[in-house]
Amino acid sequence: MTTEVPEVSGGRRRPGRRPGAADTRGEILAAARKVFAEKGFDKATIRGIAREAGVDPALVHHYFDSKEGVFVAAMRLPTDPSAVLPLILSGPREEVGERLVRFVLTMTADPAAREPLLGMVRTAMVNEQAVGMVREFFTTAVLGRVAEALDVPPLRMEAAFAQLFGVVMTRYILRFEPLASADIEEIVALLGPTVQRYLAG
């Protein structure tokens, strides 16, 4: 078995995998959590995360593709918005609200996927740094992209998100009945038209 050793030029190691690094991906994630916590989502950069981890920025892109991808993995979120948003935005515009509600409820129906997301929200509620980081991520990587794609004013997009956020909190944290045990499609039929009105302008 051979050990990967970076080439050396002029006495300096070329950027890349560190000698003996057994879990480069894990080290990048640890570095990302530190950088996101210190700088927030907007000011954090792939280059800064790579510097903290001691690797080449290309290696971060190799594992995670984008800054959003690093954040999703570092925070253990259930999905990367850059992969999901095209699916939500495709299809008839008059059904975007319904698709958005169905996606959020389906994603959060799985306890394994839901708990990291709810854990991040709980932390944000009591930690100023965390709330800033979460706010920046959602406004930049999620709400901003949807608003731009649909040509919807930010206020309308944020109001739609508030509806979805409220339902998730009420269903899974406060556990109000009958909402907590209602069928997903029943909630989609109830909430979809409301979210659609925000998005339709």
Side-chain angles (χ1 to χ4, degrees):
M1 180 176 179
T2 59
T3 301
E4 183 180 355
V5 179
E7 296 180 30
V8 176
S9 176
R12 295 180 62 188
R13 181 173 59 86
R14 290 184 179 177
R17 192 182 188 87
R18 287 181 291 182
D23 183 16
T24 303
R25 185 178 187 277
E27 292 180 3
I28 292 172
L29 288 178
R33 292 186 191 102
K34 180 179 179 182
V35 172
F36 283 129
E38 292 176 349
K39 297 182 176 296
F41 179 79
D42 285 348
K43 292 183 179 179
T45 64
I46 291 290
R47 188 173 298 277
I49 292 169
R51 187 183 307 114
E52 179 67 29
V55 300
D56 191 284
L59 201 56
V60 181
H61 282 291
H62 168 74
Y63 282 113
F64 304 104
D65 188 49
S66 65
K67 184 169 75 168
E68 289 85 356
V70 182
F71 186 88
V72 167
M75 300 299 120
R76 300 182 179 91
L77 298 183
T79 187
D80 186 341
S82 63
V84 173
L85 291 181
L87 301 178
I88 294 173
L89 296 172
S90 64
R93 182 183 174 116
E94 63 271 17
E95 296 175 4
V96 171
E98 180 180 301
R99 290 196 297 273
L100 188 57
V101 174
R102 181 177 291 108
F103 165 73
V104 170
L105 292 177
T106 301
M107 176 186 67
T108 54
D110 178 8
R114 179 173 70 239
E115 283 311 310
L117 178 63
L118 296 182
M120 186 176 71
V121 170
R122 291 188 188 100
T123 301
M125 287 180 171
V126 297
N127 183 294
E128 185 60 33
Q129 279 188 313
V131 74
M133 179 176 63
V134 172
R135 180 176 59 243
E136 290 170 3
F137 173 71
F138 279 105
T139 56
T140 302
V142 182
L143 304 183
R145 289 184 178 180
V146 177
E148 182 179 1
L150 297 177
D151 194 23
V152 176
L155 179 60
R156 285 184 171 271
M157 191 65 240
E158 289 177 11
F161 177 77
Q163 290 277 328
L164 294 169
F165 181 78
V167 167
V168 170
M169 295 289 286
T170 304
R171 183 171 168 87
Y172 294 114
I173 294 182
L174 299 177
R175 298 184 184 276
F176 284 5
E177 291 291 356
L179 184 63
S181 56
D183 181 75
I184 287 178
E185 288 304 314
E186 184 179 0
I187 303 175
V188 169
L190 181 66
L191 190 59
T194 300
V195 172
Q196 184 66 36
R197 281 196 294 273
Y198 287 120
L199 302 180

